[in-house]
Amino acid sequence: MPVTDVDVHELARAAPWRRQLTHRGEQLHLGQYAAISTSQAPVATDGIWERMELADFDPTVRSLIGQPFKLRAEEGPGKAGYIPDLMLIGNDGKVTIVDSSPTAGDLCPSERVLDWAEEVIRARGWTYEWWTGPKDAQHYTNVQALHGFCRPMHEVQQALIEPILALCADTALPIAAVEENLAGEKMPKPMVRAVIQHLLWWGDLTTDLYRPITTGTRVRTDARARRPAPDQWDVGTRLILGHDRGTIVSNEGDQFVVDLDPSLFGQGERTFSRQALTEKATALPAAYQRPVFPAQPFTVPR
C-alpha cells in the first residue's frame, strides 16, 4: 500500500519482514530481544541491542517492532527495497524508525537508498534516527546492569517494596543506609539491594544514572512514578500478572476484564473479580501506564 495509507495500529502487530534471521556462515548478532516494559512478543533484531535496551527502559516507548515493513520505490534508488532495523511507537503515537548500519535493509546497494528512505520516512511524518551507539557510556552501563533486576521479585522481596519507598519518600538516602535499615537475619543486604535495583529499573526510585551506581549512590522515591493502589485501578491500568503483563479493558462492578499482552505464554482476555485480581496482580508505575491507542489511526495529510 502507499506509505501515506499505513496504519500504526497494523504496524504495532507486524511480524518481522525477514522470516529467516540467520544463514550458514554469517557472523552477525542476529536474534530476538525479549522486551520487558513493553510486554510484547520477542522482537527481531539485527544486532541493535543497545538501542532496544534503552527503548525498553524508556517509559515513553509503547512498542518495539523489529524489521516491521519493506519500503519500495517504483523506480530509483529504492526499487530494490529497504527494511529498517527497528521501529519505536511512543505513547503519543509518535513513530521513530531506527537504522544502525550502512548495510541496513534488504539489498541496499549504496547509501543513496538510505538517503531516499530517510526522505520518505520524514515526509510521512515519522522520525528517522541513525543509531551509532549510546551517547553516554556510563548511563548505558547502568541501564544494562539494572536490566538484570527488571523481572518480578520473589514474594519475600516484594514485601520490601513499600518499606523502601516509604523510607526514601522524604529524602535521598544512600543505598547503604537503606540496606542498614531493612536488612536482617532473614533478609541479607544483597536481597535488599536487588529490590532497590528492581525499583530503579521501573522508575519507583530515581537517581543520577550518569554516574556509577555504588552503595553510596543516593536514591529517592519519584512521586510521579508511584504505582496506583488497587482502589485506583480502572480501564487502561497496566498490570503485572506473574510473568505476563496486561491492560484492564473493562470494569463492570466487581469484575475486571484484563487483555493480556502477546507473549510466549499466550494472549487474550481474562476475567477476574476485584479480590482475585488484587491478590494476583500489581500495577506498573504511573510512568509506565500507557494510554490505549485512540480509535482513529495515526495518519498525516497527503
Side-chain angles (χ1 to χ4, degrees), residues 114-296:
L114 298 179
D115 294 337
W116 163 81
E118 180 179 359
E119 181 181 350
V120 173
I121 289 168
R122 293 190 185 279
R124 176 60 177 80
W126 297 342
T127 300
Y128 184 85
E129 177 183 322
W130 184 262
W131 174 252
T132 57
K135 294 181 179 179
D136 188 284
Q138 185 60 60
H139 177 266
Y140 172 68
T141 298
N142 289 335
V143 171
Q144 190 178 38
L146 295 177
H147 186 268
F149 302 88
C150 60
R151 297 190 179 276
M153 298 277 98
H154 188 273
E155 293 181 0
V156 177
Q157 291 174 291
Q158 287 183 4
L160 284 176
I161 291 179
E162 288 303 324
I164 291 175
L165 295 180
L167 192 64
C168 301
D170 299 325
T171 182
L173 292 177
I175 292 178
V178 179
E179 294 175 354
E180 289 291 340
N181 275 274
L182 298 176
E185 294 181 0
K186 296 183 179 180
M187 188 62 62
K189 291 182 180 180
M191 292 185 67
V192 179
R193 191 175 308 162
V195 180
I196 294 173
Q197 291 169 304
H198 173 78
L199 296 176
L200 283 171
W201 167 269
W202 285 108
D204 292 289
L205 292 176
T206 59
T207 190
D208 183 4
L209 293 179
Y210 291 90
R211 302 177 62 182
I213 298 178
T214 66
T215 54
T217 298
R218 293 182 174 272
V219 295
R220 72 175 302 153
T221 302
D222 187 348
R224 297 173 300 174
R226 293 301 298 272
R227 304 186 182 216
D231 59 353
Q232 299 174 331
W233 294 355
D234 201 349
V235 175
T237 301
R238 300 273 298 160
L239 302 174
I240 304 174
L241 296 95
H243 293 283
D244 292 324
R245 305 287 189 274
T247 304
I248 297 177
V249 293
S250 67
N251 175 17
E252 297 181 1
D254 194 46
Q255 298 294 317
F256 287 92
V257 177
V258 180
D259 184 16
L260 297 179
D261 296 328
S263 68
L264 296 177
F265 303 97
Q267 58 181 333
E269 295 184 354
R270 293 180 59 186
T271 302
F272 301 89
S273 66
R274 180 181 293 273
Q275 180 179 357
L277 192 63
T278 302
E279 294 175 352
K280 296 181 179 180
T282 58
L284 287 172
Y288 286 87
Q289 294 297 333
R290 296 177 171 83
V292 179
F293 274 153
Q296 296 297 324

